[in-house]
Amino acid sequence: MSLPRFTTAAVLLSLLAGCAEAPLRLAMLDDAGETGEADAGDDRIPRLNSSADGDLIETLLADYFRSLESPAVPVQMATGPASGATEPARRLSGSGIRVIPVGPPKHHKNGLWHYLRERLELTRWNHPSVEAEVAGFRARPARVRGLAKRAEPFLHYLVGEIERRGLPLDLVLVPLVESACDPSALSAKTAAGLWQLIPATGQRFGVEMAADYDGRYDIHVSTGAALAYLQHLHDRFQGDWLLALAAYNAGEGAVQQAIANNRAAGRGTDFWSLPLPPETRGYVPKILALSRILAGADRYGLELEPVPGTPVLARVEIDAGIRPADVGSAAGLPEPLFKLLNPALKSIHDAPQRKYGLMLPLKNAQAMASSLEGAELVSAKTVVVKKGETLAVIAKRVGVSETVLAGWNGLAPNSRLKPGQELLIYPA
């Protein structure tokens, strides 16, 4: 058996093969659809020739996940012709590897876009800035489809993380606008990763940055930090999501100062009244416009490729002293695709001297867990919050501490729960 074949695979895998020791920086889409520039002299992020390169590479990633949905295309594990497991798989035998599926463990029968569009909350804003962004997206439907294609491998995971925190699902659009859903993106202002976290914000919310690892590029770690920051901003600005999004882009201090200045001058303190930087005044309407368009895709003449209704990613927890490249090889994942999912590691051929996490396609991770001695597949279940239930009540019912339950779901121990909110419960 062989790994799935792709129309662009041969060209793209050779393009990526030379980037063995650094995470890739894929193309970011700005208003002109051009590639953003990283800081001069930064040797972590190899330059790509054009945004078209980035689009093709991410298409390869999305196509790989789509191929795994077909039962006719099984995952090829790393096995040798005579002795069974290859050398990387033998090195992993008996090591501590835990595979944790991520994203809501349920099937969305009509596909994820349908599930998402029925639950968007920031669609009601009528303002000339929003109308202008809507018109811009309608004039360039291929741009929206391209963003959707880039986001596809991460959607289940992002939706699950946002839902577990009880936040609006519109926040899934933030990484589309911030980085065009490129986990390796780096801006000229040193904002990095899917959520474009600057170093100070990352460190403030527990993101590790070291010589061999930058958690801002870690899909799992950066998502937790970004959502915690957005929740903080929402609380700080008294439940106003427009001000929270503005602060995410411009900085909370800048928004607070603009509010104070307007208040002193007797002017309005809502987002539309504030004298914020031009980038921020365009950033929030862009998110609102995408929310409206996705909620009414048929009305706007936009057809998006259906996203399979089941999660496709797994978080793999790895013991210290194990080379990431060995894990990717044992999982049967081509190295370039492995790097696209794990750009936080400066080198995949050096063994970190601490526990770390990786993202893998769920089917690859499950196949690896079933074939390696010592590997464990951790299956989580979901509980739905009922009216009046608190973290303490649910924690007592499932037999864990309130702190543990909150940690599993990226919540603060004092978080208020909403009826219908889903919480993940892991086995003891």
Side-chain angles (χ1 to χ4, degrees):
M1 298 178 185
S2 60
L3 283 165
R5 294 177 178 269
F6 311 103
T7 56
T8 58
V11 174
L12 293 173
L13 291 180
S14 63
L15 169 67
L16 293 176
C19 303
E21 298 300 325
L24 290 166
R25 180 188 178 280
L26 304 184
M28 292 173 59
L29 295 180
D30 59 16
D31 285 336
E34 296 177 352
T35 307
E37 288 299 328
D39 290 346
D42 183 349
D43 60 2
R44 278 182 58 90
I45 312 297
R47 303 290 200 269
L48 296 176
N49 293 328
S50 68
S51 61
D53 289 336
D55 292 339
L56 287 171
I57 292 165
E58 289 195 341
T59 295
L60 177 63
L61 183 62
D63 286 349
Y64 183 81
F65 279 99
R66 283 183 175 275
S67 74
L68 295 180
E69 290 298 312
S70 170
V73 186
V75 173
Q76 172 68 37
M77 296 305 297
T79 57
S83 58
T86 59
E87 184 59 31
R90 284 196 294 272
R91 286 197 292 265
L92 293 179
S93 182
S95 60
I97 293 179
R98 299 176 76 240
V99 174
I100 305 170
V102 295
K106 60 185 178 183
H107 180 78
H108 302 307
K109 62 180 181 179
N110 295 318
L112 191 57
W113 285 122
H114 180 81
Y115 178 84
L116 184 63
R117 69 169 52 104
E118 288 188 336
R119 289 160 177 80
L120 295 172
E121 299 177 23
L122 303 181
T123 60
R124 67 184 185 279
W125 298 99
N126 293 312
H127 187 275
S129 298
V130 179
E131 303 304 328
E133 293 291 346
V134 168
F137 283 124
R138 292 188 70 180
R140 299 171 64 189
R143 184 183 180 213
V144 181
R145 287 194 293 269
L147 286 170
K149 184 78 167 179
R150 287 173 173 234
E152 185 177 313
F154 313 111
L155 274 180
H156 279 285
Y157 172 67
L158 295 175
V159 166
E161 293 299 294
I162 293 168
E163 280 191 316
R164 280 199 292 280
R165 290 162 172 81
L167 302 175
L169 285 182
D170 309 71
L171 297 186
V172 80
L173 302 173
V174 172
L176 270 73
V177 174
E178 285 283 350
S179 68
C181 260
D182 170 5
S184 300
L186 178 67
S187 79
K189 297 179 180 179
T190 69
L194 202 67
W195 296 87
Q196 289 291 279
L197 296 173
I198 61 173
T201 301
Q203 291 170 339
R204 179 181 173 188
F205 288 91
V207 176
E208 180 186 358
M209 282 171 272
D212 60 346
Y213 168 85
D214 187 337
R216 296 176 301 155
Y217 296 102
D218 185 312
I219 295 166
H220 177 70
V221 169
S222 65
T223 296
L227 293 178
Y229 184 37
L230 283 163
Q231 179 69 72
H232 161 78
L233 293 172
H234 178 258
D235 295 342
R236 178 165 184 176
F237 292 103
Q238 301 178 336
D240 189 321
W241 275 113
L242 271 60
L243 292 179
L245 290 168
Y248 188 89
N249 180 259
E252 55 193 292
V255 175
Q256 286 280 57
Q257 188 61 54
I259 290 173
N261 292 344
N262 268 24
R263 185 175 288 122
R267 293 191 288 266
T269 57
D270 61 296
F271 168 75
W272 307 110
S273 302
L274 297 181
L276 294 168
E279 177 188 337
T280 305
R281 295 192 63 77
Y283 173 84
V284 174
K286 195 176 269 91
I287 291 174
L288 300 179
L290 278 173
S291 180
R292 187 195 297 181
I293 288 173
L294 290 177
D298 296 340
R299 185 167 68 254
Y300 289 104
L302 177 67
E303 292 186 13
L304 297 179
E305 252 185 293
V307 174
T310 51
V312 296
L313 278 176
R315 172 80 172 169
V316 183
E317 296 180 351
I318 312 293
D319 278 349
I322 297 175
R323 293 195 326 152
D326 288 343
V327 179
S329 177
L333 190 65
E335 186 172 295
L337 297 178
F338 180 78
K339 290 180 187 177
L340 287 175
L341 290 172
N342 298 286
L345 301 165
K346 186 172 183 181
S347 170
I348 66 170
H349 298 287
D350 296 327
Q353 297 309 303
R354 61 186 179 280
K355 289 187 176 182
Y356 63 99
L358 297 170
M359 283 287 191
L360 293 178
L362 177 58
K363 286 194 174 181
N364 292 76
Q366 288 173 326
M368 178 181 68
S370 66
S371 64
L372 285 179
E373 180 185 350
E376 177 187 5
L377 180 62
V378 180
S379 298
K381 67 177 182 179
T382 301
V383 298
V384 179
V385 177
K386 298 177 182 177
K387 186 176 181 180
E389 286 189 322
T390 64
L391 274 172
V393 168
I394 296 174
K396 184 177 181 179
R397 188 168 78 234
V398 300
V400 299
S401 72
E402 188 175 346
T403 302
V404 167
L405 179 60
W408 282 345
N409 292 279
L411 302 171
N414 60 350
S415 295
R416 293 183 179 180
L417 303 181
K418 298 178 181 179
Q421 185 175 342
E422 296 182 344
L423 299 180
L424 275 186
I425 310 296
Y426 290 99

